[in-house]
Amino acid sequence: MLLVREITKAFGSTRAMDGATLSVRSGEMVAVVGPNGAGKSTLFNIVAGVTTADAGACLLDDTPLPEVPLSSIGFLPEKPYFYQSFTARESIRFDQAMRGIEDQDKAIEPLIQHLRLSDFIDKRMAALSQGMAKRVALACALMGAPEVIVLDEPLNGLDIQSVITLKEQLVLHKQRGAHILISSHVLTFLDGLADKAVFLDKGRVVYESEGGSAREETYQQLFLE
């Protein structure tokens, strides 16, 4: 189980996280929903190890996430950064090397096919559109079958085919037992895909939806309520 326990984080006088607690079981996808400024990106950055919490803990099966190998955590930030002089292939290989993912060709080739990267895989990142760059970032986040997958607004910039492909990939990763955290302003994408939703406001969990068949309302209806 992935456990995020009583996380707090302040930036100067602004408290971005205020004791948030949530959990994700193996094979479960949890949507984190909230308005701008609710703390979603800060929470995801902490889980992914990009930002350090002021207090609280993130554990994977009782092991602190900072002690979990980087290859076990796949992260898509809201605004991915790439060296613009790198090609798409070089960008993915760089991420592989940084995270210690072995057997590079075996890890990368299926994603090139699934995410339709072959037409621009050897083009420089500076020449790619927003949607193309997002697909490269998704390849980095999903490669190597990570135990924890954290996706911050993955739909931004994606075309319809890429959205369908992403949904298919997430279903496969759920089936193999990954722990998935996702945020999206497109709440209809989460219906039927996420197992439950955690609603954030001002860095606090204000509501957690029922999981599975017990939930009859859409996430949009729950958000409005």
Side-chain angles (χ1 to χ4, degrees), residues 7-95:
I7 293 294
T8 64
K9 179 68 179 180
F11 297 97
S13 60
T14 302
R15 185 177 285 267
M17 298 304 305
D18 192 11
T21 294
L22 59 91
S23 63
V24 187
R25 297 191 304 270
S26 175
E28 186 176 53
M29 176 192 236
V30 175
V32 179
V33 180
N36 292 339
K40 301 186 298 294
S41 292
T42 299
L43 174 64
F44 284 13
N45 285 337
I46 290 172
V47 172
V50 176
T51 301
T52 301
D54 296 332
C58 296
L59 307 169
L60 179 62
D61 297 331
D62 298 323
T63 300
L65 278 184
E67 299 177 15
V68 173
L70 290 176
S71 59
S72 296
I73 303 175
F75 178 43
L76 173 75
E78 183 177 9
K79 297 179 180 179
Y81 175 81
F82 293 103
Y83 290 106
Q84 296 300 293
S85 60
F86 281 13
T87 65
R89 188 188 303 274
E90 289 168 342
S91 297
I92 297 172
R93 290 199 183 281
F94 179 75
D95 192 83

Side-chain angles (χ1 to χ4, degrees), residues 54-167:
D54 296 332
C58 296
L59 307 169
L60 179 62
D61 297 331
D62 298 323
T63 300
L65 278 184
E67 299 177 15
V68 173
L70 290 176
S71 59
S72 296
I73 303 175
F75 178 43
L76 173 75
E78 183 177 9
K79 297 179 180 179
Y81 175 81
F82 293 103
Y83 290 106
Q84 296 300 293
S85 60
F86 281 13
T87 65
R89 188 188 303 274
E90 289 168 342
S91 297
I92 297 172
R93 290 199 183 281
F94 179 75
D95 192 83
Q96 287 176 318
M98 292 293 289
R99 292 168 56 203
I101 297 175
E102 300 179 354
D103 200 345
Q104 292 189 345
D105 289 337
K106 183 178 179 180
I108 188 176
E109 289 304 323
L111 288 167
I112 290 176
Q113 299 304 317
H114 293 319
L115 295 172
R116 299 178 297 120
L117 307 181
S118 56
D119 289 344
F120 56 85
I121 191 66
D122 292 309
K123 292 184 178 180
R124 296 192 184 278
M125 296 302 300
L128 303 188
S129 68
Q130 179 188 5
M132 291 175 180
K134 176 58 71 71
R135 281 147 61 190
V136 174
L138 281 169
C140 292
L142 299 178
M143 70 179 167
E147 292 184 64
V148 177
I149 298 174
V150 183
L151 305 177
D152 193 356
E153 296 294 341
L155 302 189
N156 290 351
L158 293 185
D159 58 19
I160 296 174
Q161 181 59 51
S162 297
V163 171
I164 294 172
T165 299
L166 173 60
K167 180 174 287 191

Side-chain angles (χ1 to χ4, degrees), residues 26-27 72 141-149 169-180:
S26 175
S72 296
L142 299 178
M143 70 179 167
E147 292 184 64
V148 177
I149 298 174
Q169 287 293 302
L170 290 175
V171 170
L172 291 174
H173 284 285
K174 285 177 60 178
Q175 290 173 344
R176 69 169 179 81
H179 309 72
I180 304 175

Side-chain angles (χ1 to χ4, degrees), residues 31-35 38 40 182-184 187 190 196-201 206-207 219 223:
V32 179
V33 180
K40 301 186 298 294
I182 186 171
S183 71
S184 177
L187 298 183
L190 303 173
K196 66 179 181 181
V198 171
F199 291 77
L200 282 187
D201 188 32
V206 295
Y207 182 76
Y219 289 127
F223 178 78

